[in-house]
Amino acid sequence: DTDLLDKGSDASLIVTVEDNVVTNGFGSKVGEYLLSTGYKGDFLRLGFPDEFIPQGDCNELYDDHSLSPKGIYQAIREKVSADGKGKA
């Protein structure tokens, strides 16, 4: 939805979260679009790494890969803190 991304182009941080591998996934496509438009803010892709993921309970896998609500919050907080752009 490029219209939505255009509306958020003044955001200081755009985050994508996907229940899939981040390599060549949804976040990659969003990042490509943001790059093509000259987006100047920060961009954070969250998802599974491009490696073998053992089978297991979904909630445990989300916890292990920072994809639970708490993990997503923490990843965003760390990104904002690391960039020195304020509090999350």
Side-chain angles (χ1 to χ4, degrees):
D1 186 350
T2 56
D3 290 338
L4 180 62
L5 289 172
D6 291 338
K7 288 178 186 176
S9 64
D10 61 342
S12 61
L13 174 64
I14 293 178
V15 179
T16 62
V17 180
E18 57 190 299
D19 184 11
N20 206 336
V21 176
V22 292
T23 304
N24 295 320
F26 171 72
S28 295
K29 294 299 180 188
V30 170
E32 287 175 20
Y33 180 77
L34 293 174
L35 183 62
S36 75
T37 63
Y39 174 69
K40 301 294 184 201
D42 284 327
F43 180 59
L44 177 62
R45 295 182 308 158
L46 299 176
F48 290 104
D50 190 9
E51 60 188 41
F52 176 76
I53 305 293
Q55 298 297 304
D57 177 75
C58 288
N59 291 325
E60 289 178 14
L61 293 174
Y62 294 153
D63 285 341
D64 291 346
H65 293 85
S66 299
L67 296 173
S68 65
K70 183 179 177 180
I72 293 167
Y73 169 79
Q74 188 62 34
I76 293 170
R77 184 179 173 126
E78 288 173 9
K79 177 70 173 167
V80 171
S81 296
D83 291 342
K85 293 185 179 177
K87 297 179 184 176

